[in-house]
Amino acid sequence: MYADTETIRKILTQSGDTWAVVGLSSNQSRVAYGVAAVLQRYGKRVVPVHPKAETVHGEQGYASLADIPFPVDVVDVFVNSDLAGGVADEAAAIGAKAVWFQLGVIDEQAYARTRAAGLDMVMDRCPAIEIPLLD
């Protein structure tokens, strides 16, 4: 219901190639680190968003979505479900086209708000799993 094939394909192929990854740090043991590497291999520009604002995978990091000085197409969310709704609201505020909540990140109210704001959204899925299936 929150991850139909058509929306997944649209976000991965048509929404744009600049992906802000919220929760991405230089900690290589975190899932976000590996997922960001996969996105880069598929031609996505990965922008780390983390309070530490670290450079990760060669890309400058930012402390928040609002700090990114260029347009973001997709916001990929690696924070706990209780924080994810606020990130989705920020994604809409900065003009992103889509929001992607990672596996285990679920907020049905945020999903409804994000869709009502006109953004595409996928919830409880992983783009690193989905993108190779497009080939």
Side-chain angles (χ1 to χ4, degrees):
M1 176 177 172
Y2 298 113
D4 65 274
T5 304
E6 183 179 319
T7 302
I8 289 170
R9 179 174 290 281
K10 181 179 178 187
I11 292 172
L12 292 172
T13 64
Q14 299 173 25
S15 292
D17 291 332
T18 301
W19 285 52
V21 181
V22 179
L24 175 58
S25 72
S26 61
N27 184 343
Q28 296 181 24
S29 67
R30 303 291 296 186
V31 174
Y33 191 89
V35 170
V38 171
L39 289 170
Q40 279 189 324
R41 281 198 302 274
Y42 279 87
K44 307 300 181 190
R45 178 182 184 190
V46 172
V47 181
V49 179
H50 188 279
K52 294 180 182 177
E54 300 172 302
T55 297
V56 183
H57 296 305
E59 289 285 346
Q60 169 65 48
Y62 298 90
S64 72
L65 290 173
D67 291 340
I68 301 172
F70 48 82
V72 169
D73 300 310
V74 180
V75 175
D76 190 6
V77 182
F78 277 94
V79 300
N80 293 331
S81 296
D82 59 339
L83 301 173
V87 175
D89 295 339
E90 290 175 38
I94 66 162
K97 298 173 189 163
V99 174
W100 192 299
F101 280 11
Q102 283 293 324
L103 290 170
V105 180
I106 299 168
D107 182 333
E108 294 177 6
Q109 292 174 338
Y111 182 89
R113 284 194 314 273
T114 303
R115 298 290 295 150
L119 283 72
D120 289 317
M121 184 164 179
V122 169
M123 187 164 64
D124 195 26
R125 296 296 274 274
C126 179
I129 294 170
E130 302 296 335
I131 202 165
L133 301 176
L134 298 176
D135 292 343

